[in-house]
């Protein structure tokens, strides 16, 4: 049976089969080719979508906006302070109102249960633009980027360094399991994905030929890895006073040239961005100064090295988000 995702929500990769994820990657590659060759693909002309951001964003917001315009759609952006959501109106009521007006709804927020609730009450597709637990549109972009670089995803070993129990660690683990990749979480005790999700992913990986392993040894973590991946040590919505503990716990897991040298020949560096690879941002500057560091989760030399494919990833956010909308609307 050919894959059809019409009318489906896109809330987490666990809800999708391997075949469906590959279908989305193929569609994204096709749409990327069309965009590069100037071939119009405004097949969703006249549709309208709502973009709800309860946390800030550069890549996800811009990707949804441009992808929607390329597909011929109009967008309405609701920022963290300009709607009634959660304050004067419940998620259930918001979903029922917006799905009378719009053809699709993107939501970036806090707990996964919020976007799941929105989807439950929405009669139009809801797309998860990041929760504390999962960031599925990011993973699609990452998988497409890996496939472009290595010509395949199956059998690729990806080592995730840092806080592996938050949205990026969790959802990379799911994405790797679904596509027969080897996922390694390299983190201190207490920073690994939860047991329930890990067991689910191990069962999926057993079917797809992938694997899930955890280690607290920063040298061993990179062994044979084709991809070294990291993310910020403090995520959106977390309190600023957590930095002390995170610097203490996660500094040994900084991605630096020694980590890259321990990886497989030809290994690439990936990061969902934004990144504190130097001290040239407001928050990065304050943290660097306080802890006397010149970079946080990744050193600048690695970030700027030829092995770094972070801007390919960023571009692919747009093509893969476009595929999600084109497939579900
Ligand atoms: N990677 C990512 O989601 O970036 P933004 O927070 O800028 O959307
Ligand atoms: N873990 C990060 C990802 C940003 C794309 C955060 O939630 O802030």
């Amino acid at each position: 049976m050919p894959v059809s995702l019409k009318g489906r929500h896109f809330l987490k990769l666990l809800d999708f089969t391997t075949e469906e994820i590959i279908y989305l990657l193929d569609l994204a590659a096709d749409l990327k080719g069309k965009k590069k060759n100037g071939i119009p693909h405004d097949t969703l002309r006249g549709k309208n979508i709502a973009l709800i951001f309860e946390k800030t964003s550069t890549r996800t917001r811009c990707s949804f906006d441009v992808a929607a315009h390329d597909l011929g759609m109009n967008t309405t952006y609701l920022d963290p302070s300009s709607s009634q959501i959660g304050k004067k109106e419940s998620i259930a009521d918001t979903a029922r109102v917006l799905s009378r007006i719009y053809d699709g709804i993107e939501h970036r927020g806090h707990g996964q249960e919020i976007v799941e609730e929105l989807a439950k009450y929405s009669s139009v597709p809801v797309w998860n633009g990041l929760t504390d637990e999962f960031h599925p549109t990011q993973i699609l972009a990452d998988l497409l980027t890996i496939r472009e670089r290595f010509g395949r995803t199956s059998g690729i070993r990806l080592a995730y360094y840092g806080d592996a129990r938050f949205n990026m660690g969790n959802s990379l683990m799911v994405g790797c399991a679904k596509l027969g990749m080897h996922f390694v979480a390299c983190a201190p005790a207490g920073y690994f994905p939860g047991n329930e999700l890990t067991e689910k992913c191990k069962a999926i990986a057993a079917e797809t030929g992938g694997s899930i392993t955890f280690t607290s040894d920063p040298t061993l973590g990179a062994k044979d890895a084709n991809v070294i991946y990291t993310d910020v040590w403090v995520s959106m919505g977390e309190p600023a006073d957590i930095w002390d503990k995170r610097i203490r716990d996660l500094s040994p897991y900084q991605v630096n040239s020694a980590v890259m040298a321990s990886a497989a020949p030809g290994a690439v560096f990936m990061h969902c961005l934004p990144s504190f690879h130097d001290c040239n941002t407001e928050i990065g500057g304050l943290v660097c100064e306080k802890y006397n560091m010149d970079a946080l989760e990744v050193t600048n030399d690695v970030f700027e090295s030829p092995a770094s494919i972070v801007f390919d990833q960023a571009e692919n956010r747009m093509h893969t988000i476009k595929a999600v909308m084109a497939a579900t609307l």
Side-chain angles (χ1 to χ4, degrees), residues 198-209:
T198 304
E199 288 314 312
K200 268 188 202 162
C201 290
K202 282 188 173 169
I204 296 166
E207 298 285 316
T208 61

Side-chain angles (χ1 to χ4, degrees), residues 183-329:
F183 175 81
V184 182
C186 186
Y191 287 87
F192 293 113
N195 284 339
E196 197 184 326
L197 184 64
T198 304
E199 288 314 312
K200 268 188 202 162
C201 290
K202 282 188 173 169
I204 296 166
E207 298 285 316
T208 61
S211 65
I212 309 293
T213 48
F214 295 170
T215 176
S216 294
D217 179 333
T219 307
L220 202 62
K223 190 171 179 297
D224 299 328
N226 308 104
V227 178
I228 302 291
Y229 201 120
T230 192
D231 181 21
V232 291
W233 290 338
V234 175
S235 286
M236 287 183 279
E238 296 198 288
D241 63 10
I242 203 87
W243 273 110
D244 264 352
K245 181 167 164 49
R246 292 291 163 79
I247 296 277
R248 224 176 21 250
D249 293 348
L250 297 177
S251 289
Y253 299 89
Q254 181 189 60
V255 174
N256 52 33
S257 53
V259 170
M260 293 306 292
S262 307
V268 296
F269 170 71
M270 296 180 74
H271 192 309
C272 55
L273 307 182
S275 162
F276 294 122
H277 57 93
D278 58 26
C279 307
N280 301 335
T281 59
E282 192 184 316
I283 296 175
L286 289 172
V287 179
C288 284
E289 195 183 332
K290 181 161 180 202
Y291 300 99
N292 193 25
M293 295 178 75
D294 53 16
L296 301 179
E297 74 276 2
V298 54
T299 55
N300 199 45
D301 61 324
V302 170
F303 186 91
E304 297 292 355
S305 71
S308 172
I309 55 170
V310 297
F311 298 111
D312 296 331
Q313 281 178 267
E315 176 190 333
N316 282 338
R317 296 299 310 285
M318 203 281 285
H319 305 300
T320 43
I321 281 172
K322 189 184 284 177
V324 169
M325 294 195 289
T328 56
L329 288 181

Side-chain angles (χ1 to χ4, degrees), residues 55 59-60 108 129-132 135 138 160 163 166-169 231-238 271-274 317:
K55 290 174 176 171
R59 277 145 292 272
T60 310
R108 165 173 286 196
L130 176 145
T131 63
D132 292 345
H135 195 4
Q138 176 72 49
Y160 181 88
D163 184 356
F166 214 73
N167 43 26
M168 286 309 304
D231 181 21
V232 291
W233 290 338
V234 175
S235 286
M236 287 183 279
E238 296 198 288
H271 192 309
C272 55
L273 307 182
R317 296 299 310 285

Side-chain angles (χ1 to χ4, degrees), residues 82-210:
S82 70
S83 75
Q84 315 283 21
I85 301 166
K87 296 177 278 287
K88 282 176 68 182
E89 194 156 36
S90 68
I91 292 296
D93 290 357
T94 303
R96 287 176 290 180
V97 170
L98 293 182
S99 48
R100 295 292 183 102
I101 301 174
Y102 292 97
D103 300 288
I105 304 168
E106 180 277 351
H107 183 266
R108 165 173 286 196
H110 298 272
Q112 179 73 15
E113 70 284 357
I114 299 170
V115 77
E116 301 272 353
E117 171 101 344
L118 192 67
K120 182 174 163 198
Y121 287 95
S122 169
S123 56
V124 299
V126 171
W127 309 298
N128 177 3
L130 176 145
T131 63
D132 292 345
E133 291 83 356
F134 295 113
H135 195 4
T137 62
Q138 176 72 49
I139 308 311
L140 280 187
D142 298 343
L143 294 173
L144 180 64
T145 312
I146 290 168
R147 199 172 79 170
E148 287 171 346
R149 173 55 72 123
F150 294 100
R152 67 192 163 101
T153 46
S154 179
I156 294 292
R157 180 174 294 272
L158 182 150
Y160 181 88
Y161 277 64
D163 184 356
R165 66 198 163 155
F166 214 73
N167 43 26
M168 286 309 304
N170 285 343
S171 33
L172 280 167
M173 180 168 75
V174 178
C176 288
K178 289 275 182 184
L179 289 195
M181 295 168 62
H182 303 291
F183 175 81
V184 182
C186 186
Y191 287 87
F192 293 113
N195 284 339
E196 197 184 326
L197 184 64
T198 304
E199 288 314 312
K200 268 188 202 162
C201 290
K202 282 188 173 169
I204 296 166
E207 298 285 316
T208 61

